Amino acid sequence: MASTWESAHPLSHGPSWDAAPSLDIAAAPPQSGVSGLYALALQGQWRQVIGRCKELRPASRADSLTIATFHVLALAQLNQTMDALQELERVGNLDGSGSHAARRGHAGKHSAPDASEVPFALRWLAAELPGRAGRWMEAVSAFQALLGLCVTQSGIAEREGDAEASRLWGGRRARAAAALANVHAQQQQYPAALAVLDAQLGADPRRIDTWLHAAQVQLRVGDLPGAEASVASAAFLAGEAEGPAAAHGMRAVRHARGLLAVARQDWPAAAAAFSSCLREDARDAEAVGDLAVCQLFNRNVESGVAVLEAGFQAQPWAMLKAPLVSSLALMYDLARPDSGAKERFGAWVARIAPDDLDMSCMSPG
């Protein structure tokens, strides 16, 4: 049976955008206390997260750090970067020596956090936020330190024979290496980015995600043969994997092959690759966006509109991201400038959007 992405008629006038969708993720009311922060975050209710963090009184050191993590995260999601950095400063040094402000802030009567007690998410935010503030050297140093922590903890887990901890810290190490490479790439320091990923592959050569991340950096520097070789390595490893890891790996490889086709400006091949990803997982919002862009460059704007409309109707929560909203708004401007479709879509988005979606994305350009 044809999928939603293949059966959407290119000349369809699409959905009416009249009714707000049913979002299962927001169905259950959040619990009170610290546990309710998780539900509010999943619903994208970041302003409520901030309000609750200010009201809560931690009963333990663990509660204090959880509240601080959600508070910093919520501020970051709302692009209040400097406020997030200030809140992070109140927590104190995450390696154990806290400030006076930290002892009087969320920590309450407790002293500064011991390094072993700090949530990994809080450490990640501490590394990521300097880059958002344009402090790139600080971001590099922070992610280098985080990567070093992951290397140390992964080594300890391996020596102790703790397979679960080894997998946990191995995955964190790979993500930290990818983030450090991203910081370098954002500053066009591509040799440094590739060196980080090469070191990660030297330590763990069977990580499919690291090979594919290397391919992305290689594409950015125009090294198409190198990117193809990296994707081929990932494909080989995905073919050897078993169970869910195999399916996930092959889908990631197909997406990467779509990006290779985009680099060659082979739009039909790219569209076929992204469509294949969506047949396997209709929730893949990134593939929806990439497929729509392929249709646009293939001079079939209406098909691009149909792809995005189907995505928003099928998986609204996954699709409510600024680049995807902006893409459909732009395509409405190109394909149906006087139909009112863009205005109806904008009103639909405004009714259901999470707090961190900047509605200015409805006016791309």
Side-chain angles (χ1 to χ4, degrees):
M1 185 174 72
S3 70
T4 303
W5 320 106
E6 295 165 327
S7 61
H9 196 286
L11 298 181
S12 166
H13 288 289
S16 65
W17 301 117
D18 291 332
S22 174
L23 299 176
D24 293 338
I25 197 169
Q31 300 176 7
S32 61
V34 174
S35 59
L37 294 172
Y38 293 92
L40 289 171
L42 286 174
Q43 295 170 18
Q45 302 295 325
W46 299 111
R47 293 184 180 87
Q48 289 191 44
V49 169
I50 292 172
R52 181 168 294 191
C53 286
K54 291 179 178 178
E55 295 170 356
L56 287 172
R57 295 295 176 262
S60 65
R61 189 191 303 263
D63 280 355
S64 172
L65 290 169
T66 298
I67 294 168
T69 301
F70 275 103
H71 198 171
V72 174
L73 174 61
L75 291 167
Q77 289 294 112
L78 294 174
N79 291 321
Q80 298 176 21
T81 302
M82 301 313 297
D83 290 339
L85 284 166
Q86 186 176 23
E87 187 63 28
L88 189 61
E89 175 64 22
R90 295 182 67 219
V91 180
N93 189 319
L94 300 186
D95 291 318
S97 56
S99 65
H100 179 65
R103 290 189 288 272
R104 296 186 60 187
H106 283 307
K109 66 180 181 180
H110 301 292
S111 61
D114 291 335
S116 61
E117 297 176 318
V118 178
F120 188 75
L122 189 59
R123 291 187 179 278
W124 189 279
L125 287 164
E128 181 180 292
L129 285 170
R132 292 196 185 191
R135 291 155 26 187
W136 297 107
M137 292 305 297
E138 185 179 340
V140 168
S141 297
F143 271 117
Q144 285 175 335
L146 186 62
L147 178 57
L149 172 68
C150 294
V151 170
T152 299
Q153 294 299 323
S154 179
I156 292 173
E158 289 180 7
R159 288 194 298 272
E160 294 180 349
D162 189 336
E164 182 177 353
S166 181
R167 284 193 298 271
L168 173 66
W169 284 102
R172 287 175 171 178
R173 174 178 179 171
R175 291 193 296 275
L180 177 57
N182 280 340
V183 173
H184 283 304
Q186 287 167 4
Q187 294 302 296
Q188 299 184 5
Q189 299 169 349
Y190 299 116
L194 289 171
V196 170
L197 296 171
D198 185 61
Q200 171 62 25
L201 287 170
D204 188 357
R206 300 191 64 81
R207 286 206 68 95
I208 296 170
D209 52 350
T210 306
W211 280 108
L212 295 179
H213 199 97
Q216 291 178 13
V217 177
Q218 289 165 319
L219 282 177
R220 292 183 68 171
V221 298
D223 182 9
L224 183 56
E228 289 173 337
S230 293
V231 172
S233 295
F236 174 79
L237 294 172
E240 289 192 331
E242 298 178 353
H248 177 78
M250 287 308 302
R251 186 166 64 252
V253 166
R254 282 193 289 273
H255 190 273
R257 286 172 173 162
L259 296 178
L260 292 175
V262 168
R264 294 191 297 267
Q265 298 186 18
D266 185 349
W267 306 115
F274 298 137
S275 294
S276 176
C277 294
L278 288 168
R279 282 195 297 272
E280 186 171 340
D281 183 4
R283 298 168 298 178
D284 190 343
E286 186 178 6
V288 173
D290 288 337
L291 177 56
V293 170
C294 285
Q295 301 292 8
L296 177 63
F297 279 97
N298 206 30
R299 300 181 181 181
N300 196 340
V301 181
E302 279 289 355
S303 288
V305 168
V307 166
L308 287 169
E309 287 178 339
F312 277 104
Q313 291 291 305
Q315 297 291 337
W317 198 252
M319 292 286 293
L320 283 170
K321 297 177 174 61
L324 297 172
V325 172
S326 180
S327 292
L328 184 51
L330 174 61
M331 290 190 190
Y332 276 143
D333 283 338
L334 294 173
R336 308 172 191 169
D338 300 317
S339 67
K342 176 180 174 179
E343 290 72 21
R344 291 192 296 273
F345 173 60
W348 180 85
V349 170
R351 287 199 299 272
I352 65 172
D355 290 344
D356 54 325
L357 181 65
D358 184 353
M359 289 302 296
S360 66
C361 66
M362 282 296 302
S363 301

